[in-house]
Amino acid sequence: MEKINIRPTQNPAILKFEFSNFIAKGGNFEYKNIDEATNSPLAKQLFYLPFVKSVYISGNFIGIEKYSIVEWTDVQEDVATQIEEFVNDGGIIVIEDTETKKKLPVTIYVESTPNPGVLKFVYNKRLTKIPAEFKSIDETAASPLARELFKFPFVKEVFIDDNYISVTKYDVTEWDAITAEIRSFIKKYIEEGNTTIDESLIQQTPEAEKQDDTYFDSLDVTSQRIINILEEYVKPAVASDGGNISFDSYDEKEKRVKVILQGACSGCPSSTFTLKSGIENMLKDMLNDNDIQVEALNA
């Protein structure tokens, strides 16, 4: 008789329901709705629960993301019991027949960025709601795709956000020689249904924790206004260039705003100019304070 163990993840909306043995030996399977669950009778059944948003099957566990209409503490035991009964009654978790694995319709196009060392590979669907930066292969536990990209000797850094992947290269090679290879690799990787990024495994770094509503609510009014300005006026433009900017801190005495640059913005030759002539002037104007200074911790 199978007994399910319930494991929390760093994403409060997602729980793992672990088995004693591997249940998906042929790969990872992700389902966003019941129509996608054609090869998983168990996932199809789980979608009849009104709070189930997505189902992820990999290795020895089933990951379930819920809508906010319920709390996991109220339903997790019932879900575990339902999974146990399904499996113990001989139900099929996933049909791993390669013929049933349809290739995903994937379009990848390439965009240049203001940083000559970074290219942006844009997908036709969202990849993640949580930005994630990977400086080395040792940091890629949350992204099998980033791990595979680091196996190319010319890949220096990988940044994944929304519907794009920013790749930073070493100077030993030119983009003309490697762009088509990277684009083809990413396209094939996604087409085969491989996991790009597991949001539940993204490490809760101090930068990530600062995106939580509870952190925002704990800040002073000026810091909250700065975050809102960055979110509304700066982030969209920065994202279009393959990067990200996040608030780190505000010192009331020094009037100093510290931010973190990621992706194409990190190490970009024009980032200092953008900070001083763009963002700093915007904050001075919108906060009506000419003493405001902006500093990037990793410019």
Side-chain angles (χ1 to χ4, degrees), residues 31-245:
Y31 311 101
K32 296 296 185 182
N33 55 60
I34 196 169
D35 290 338
E36 295 182 359
T38 54
N39 69 326
S40 176
L42 175 55
K44 190 176 294 186
Q45 177 173 310
L46 289 170
F47 275 114
Y48 283 107
L49 299 172
F51 54 82
V52 171
K53 182 178 182 181
S54 63
V55 178
Y56 181 77
I57 300 175
S58 177
N60 71 328
F61 71 89
I62 296 174
I64 300 178
E65 181 180 10
K66 70 172 182 66
Y67 288 105
S68 58
I69 57 174
V70 299
E71 296 299 327
W72 271 125
T73 51
D74 297 328
V75 298
Q76 63 187 40
E77 295 297 337
D78 290 338
V79 174
T81 299
Q82 184 174 135
I83 294 173
E84 287 174 0
E85 292 177 349
F86 179 91
V87 174
N88 292 329
D89 287 342
I92 298 174
I93 297 175
V94 63
I95 303 169
E96 298 191 55
D97 186 336
T98 54
E99 293 183 359
T100 66
K101 294 177 70 175
K102 297 180 181 179
K103 281 194 172 183
L104 301 172
V106 173
T107 300
I108 301 289
Y109 64 91
V110 183
E111 291 183 355
S112 60
T113 76
N115 189 336
V118 180
L119 275 189
K120 183 179 174 184
F121 296 83
V122 185
Y123 180 36
N124 56 309
K125 294 182 181 179
R126 171 176 271 187
L127 294 166
T128 179
K129 297 186 291 291
I130 307 173
E133 186 172 43
F134 307 98
K135 297 284 191 180
S136 72
I137 196 169
D138 292 335
E139 299 177 359
T140 58
S143 176
L145 173 56
R147 185 182 309 124
E148 293 303 313
L149 286 171
F150 273 111
K151 293 179 182 179
F152 291 99
F154 43 75
V155 171
K156 183 179 180 181
E157 297 177 13
V158 177
F159 175 72
I160 304 175
D161 189 15
D162 196 35
N163 68 329
Y164 67 88
I165 302 145
S166 289
V167 176
T168 306
K169 71 173 181 66
Y170 285 104
D171 294 334
V172 294
T173 188
E174 297 300 322
W175 280 119
D176 288 347
I178 60 176
T179 299
E181 183 179 5
I182 296 177
R183 178 187 173 280
S184 295
F185 174 81
I186 294 174
K187 184 176 187 295
K188 181 180 178 183
Y189 183 94
I190 298 176
E191 278 179 341
E192 293 177 347
N194 297 307
T195 301
T196 303
I197 189 166
D198 185 346
E199 294 180 16
S200 69
L201 295 180
I202 295 176
Q203 293 183 350
Q204 295 301 303
T205 62
E207 291 78 21
E209 291 173 355
K210 288 176 180 177
Q211 298 178 32
D212 291 343
D213 291 340
T214 52
Y215 174 77
F216 180 87
D217 292 340
S218 70
L219 295 173
D220 60 273
V221 173
T222 302
S223 294
Q224 291 180 346
R225 290 184 66 193
I226 291 169
I227 291 175
N228 287 334
I229 292 169
L230 293 177
E231 290 286 337
E232 184 172 356
Y233 297 99
V234 181
K235 275 196 174 185
V238 170
S240 69
D241 287 336
N244 185 49
I245 184 170

Side-chain angles (χ1 to χ4, degrees), residues 263-280:
C265 297
S266 180
C268 179
S270 63
S271 61
T272 301
F273 177 80
T274 301
L275 285 169
K276 294 297 179 183
S277 300
I279 300 170
E280 187 173 289

